[in-house]
Amino acid sequence: MTAVAELMDYADVIERFNPVLGLEVHVELNTNTKMFCGCPNEFGGEPNTKVCPTCLGLPGALPAVNGKAVEGAIRIGLALNCEIAEWCRFARKNYFYPDMPKNFQTSQYDEPIAFNGYLDVTLDDGEVVRVEIERAHMEEDTGKSLHVGGATGRIHGAEHSLLDYNRAGVPLIEIVTKPIEGTGERAPEVARAYVSALRDLLRALDVSDVRMDQGSLRCDANVSLMAKDATEFGTRTETKNVNSLRSVERAVRYEMTRQAAILAEGGSIKQETRHFQEADGTTSSGRTKETAEDYRYFPEPDLVPIAPSREWVEELRGTLPEMPSERRKRIQQEWSLSDEALRDLLNVGAVDLVAATVEAGASPDEARGWWVNTLAQEANSREVELADLPITPKQLAEVIALVSSGELTNKLAKEVVQGVLAGEGEPRDVVEKRGLKVVSDDSALLAAIDEALAAQPDVAEKIRGGKVAAAGAIVGAVMKATKGQADAKRVRELIIERVGS
């Protein structure tokens, strides 16, 4: 029967099927040079300017392993509670694609450097899910194709393609989970939480900048469904290169509803790669998914095996930083946070941002209030991750300091933050350009107070009669006259003095 493209209601999916996930996360390492040559490992630049005979796969060019990349791979494996291989080697993964100049990718097949690990992941309500890691192996990234013309930006329908090999050969670690079962309706949430936790871990290790928007952290989401009475996994699809936490969750959810609709109609799932469409949250067919045999793996003859000594591995274990989960527990105690307050921080991805803001001089409560409320709302409206907003913890700490010193009111501070977000410069630059400094000259304030009192003589009489709360109307008029740049507390003090004199 022909498969239909309709979607099944999510509640019905959960009632009829058990989802099974497999997540493959690719991490570009932040080494100075590429994996097998001396070309600079830098994002961007003019196309095809960071290349050499080795990463272009020219005849006679020989690779040499980047030792710093091996060190990074081992540290990642240790942080993921993996076993580290005493002996492993590289393999050639053979397939043709224009952005891979050698027509094979130097990777690891059945002998990864790290294997059998796990990562404990905390969901929004505090539930902890253990995600088991199958392997973390070393490989090189491919180049980039730009498909010109057509409606989708994909190769299908394009008029022509351009190739940029700057990224070819960049050190890459692929982290592959074991099948993730038993998560039920929370499967999409688990997928997002896992990638988020992994990103936090990699950032703590300082092995990658984990910029999903730039492709240095990418997730391939494998999804399959099992009927409730089934004993074998269903056929999986692999949604490639999903590049935001929100998109990981959306892609998994969509695939579950799409596959369920096909299976319910008696159709079958095609094992294939799929592309996630950011605009509408759907996936579209890519190409039929190969099996391992199709890649014709064989040992890389130009590279010697990697055999890290146990002494070196233990030395690297000693370099591991405080893990994010341990750091969160410590921060919760130091900042006296309730479980609910900590979850709020986690849910918006603000723990590291708040900590960095505190380190820059702000108090925990002030930093938390800005990131969890004002800036989280801004991130939601822009549909970006909180950490991707164009404001740094140091800049926010400076804004908070300006409020504490009395140079800004909270209202003005919000304008300054908006200016920083708009790219108008550092906080003090925004203050100067927008003229946002608090009016602290008593003579200027008294002039505005006198004008407001003259306009509202009845309010003045109420204040003289002991109804001090009536001063709020005068305060409001003064704030309006000064465009919100007066210190409301000082204005109130001056009003009481003025009326009483």
Side-chain angles (χ1 to χ4, degrees):
M1 180 179 292
T2 303
V4 296
E6 297 174 356
L7 305 180
M8 180 180 288
D9 181 79
Y10 192 72
D12 293 337
V13 176
I14 301 305
E15 185 177 342
R16 299 180 59 171
F17 299 98
N18 292 320
V20 179
L21 305 180
L23 302 172
E24 303 170 14
V25 175
H26 297 79
V27 186
E28 288 184 350
L29 300 182
N30 57 6
T31 54
N32 292 328
T33 56
K34 292 184 180 181
M35 187 72 200
F36 300 114
C37 67
C39 291
N41 175 20
E42 300 169 344
F43 177 78
E46 288 297 313
N48 300 309
T49 57
K50 300 170 184 176
V51 294
C52 71
T54 299
C55 56
L56 287 176
L58 299 184
L62 292 174
V65 175
N66 184 327
K68 199 68 177 178
V70 176
E71 177 182 309
I74 294 174
R75 293 179 75 237
I76 290 172
L78 291 171
L80 290 172
N81 304 290
C82 289
E83 300 176 47
I84 305 301
E86 296 189 18
W87 187 95
C88 62
R89 56 184 171 178
F90 288 97
R92 290 188 179 185
K93 182 181 182 181
N94 295 274
Y95 64 100
F96 172 78
Y97 203 73
D99 62 13
M100 196 168 62
K102 297 184 294 188
N103 289 339
F104 65 85
Q105 180 185 32
T106 305
S107 181
Q108 291 188 303
Y109 175 42
D110 55 346
E111 299 165 316
I113 193 165
F115 53 94
N116 286 342
Y118 65 86
L119 179 62
D120 288 332
V121 175
T122 303
L123 304 185
D124 289 350
D125 62 356
E127 179 183 346
V128 176
V129 175
R130 173 160 293 187
V131 176
E132 295 188 335
I133 306 297
E134 175 73 33
R135 56 193 282 149
H137 66 259
M138 300 179 289
E139 58 186 24
E140 60 181 334
D141 213 341
T142 60
K144 294 180 67 174
S145 299
L146 175 64
H147 304 299
V148 182
T152 64
R154 305 286 181 187
I155 192 169
H156 302 294
E159 295 175 0
H160 63 276
S161 297
L162 300 174
L163 298 171
D164 179 7
Y165 291 119
N166 281 347
R167 196 178 69 181
V170 165
L172 204 63
I173 305 299
E174 181 174 354
I175 302 167
V176 183
T177 70
K178 295 181 180 180
I180 304 171
E181 305 177 67
T183 55
E185 65 179 350
R186 307 195 74 173
E189 181 188 351
V190 169
R192 173 181 56 80
Y194 166 74
V195 178
S196 176
L198 187 57
R199 185 180 67 169
D200 290 345
L201 180 68
L202 296 165
R203 186 184 286 121
L205 290 171
D206 193 26
V207 293
S208 172
D209 64 10
V210 291
R211 289 283 302 271
M212 296 189 79
D213 60 316
Q214 293 182 357
S216 55
L217 182 71
R218 313 189 291 272
C219 177
D220 296 345
N222 293 269
V223 180
S224 66
L225 296 178
M226 299 171 61
K228 289 290 185 178
D229 58 352
T231 57
E232 296 183 359
F233 293 159
T235 301
R236 64 186 172 89
T237 63
E238 180 181 13
T239 303
K240 299 286 287 184
N241 296 329
V242 187
N243 62 3
S244 78
L245 300 179
R246 178 171 176 264
S247 295
V248 169
E249 184 170 7
R250 294 171 73 202
V252 170
R253 188 183 182 97
Y254 179 83
E255 270 303 288
M256 288 171 62
T257 57
R258 185 190 71 86
Q259 291 183 22
I262 293 173
L263 295 171
E265 291 292 324
S268 58
I269 304 301
K270 182 166 62 173
Q271 183 168 312
E272 62 181 352
T273 61
R274 297 184 68 82
H275 302 294
F276 182 69
Q277 310 298 329
E278 292 281 354
D280 58 8
T282 65
T283 66
S284 59
S285 181
R287 56 180 169 80
T288 301
K289 179 64 178 173
E290 296 89 347
T291 63
E293 289 75 15
D294 294 324
Y295 290 122
R296 306 187 320 281
Y297 283 99
F298 64 86
E300 168 57 71
D302 292 332
L303 291 170
V304 298
I306 304 294
S309 69
R310 297 303 90 181
E311 291 77 15
W312 186 38
V313 170
E314 290 309 309
E315 181 183 329
L316 291 177
R317 192 189 300 276
T319 69
L320 297 182
E322 183 181 29
M323 291 295 102
S325 58
E326 298 167 354
R327 185 172 182 234
R328 284 193 286 269
K329 291 177 183 177
R330 175 178 57 79
I331 283 175
Q332 183 176 14
Q333 293 179 341
E334 291 179 356
W335 297 353
S336 301
L337 297 178
S338 65
D339 289 344
E340 182 179 358
L342 180 62
R343 282 200 298 273
D344 287 343
L345 284 177
L346 292 172
N347 291 346
V348 297
V351 173
D352 289 341
L353 294 167
V354 172
T357 307
V358 171
E359 289 171 6
S363 74
D365 286 345
E366 290 171 324
R368 186 161 56 91
W370 276 97
W371 285 112
V372 173
N373 298 315
T374 305
L375 291 170
Q377 292 174 9
E378 183 72 24
N380 285 336
S381 66
R382 297 186 182 209
E383 297 187 347
V384 299
E385 301 299 331
L386 191 61
D388 294 333
L389 285 175
I391 185 170
T392 66
K394 183 179 178 182
Q395 289 171 325
L396 180 60
E398 184 178 346
V399 173
I400 294 171
L402 290 172
V403 175
S404 298
S405 68
E407 294 181 61
L408 291 178
T409 63
N410 285 326
K411 181 180 178 181
L412 294 177
K414 290 182 179 179
E415 288 192 50
V416 173
V417 167
Q418 287 300 321
V420 174
L421 291 170
E424 297 174 19
E426 295 298 313
R428 287 192 178 277
D429 297 331
V430 177
V431 170
E432 292 300 323
K433 290 176 183 176
R434 294 195 179 192
L436 297 177
K437 203 167 186 179
V438 165
V439 178
S440 55
D441 180 5
D442 282 0
S443 61
L445 293 177
L446 285 169
I449 289 170
D450 289 342
E451 185 176 336
L453 288 171
Q456 303 181 66
D458 55 328
V459 175
E461 286 302 319
K462 289 180 181 179
I463 299 173
R464 289 191 185 96
K467 296 182 179 180
V468 180
I474 304 301
V475 172
V478 173
M479 296 303 291
K480 183 177 181 180
T482 59
K483 298 180 180 179
Q485 292 178 233
D487 181 341
K489 182 179 179 181
R490 181 56 181 159
V491 169
R492 180 176 291 275
E493 292 172 352
L494 292 173
I495 290 171
I496 303 302
E497 292 176 9
R498 201 66 156 178
V499 173
S501 60

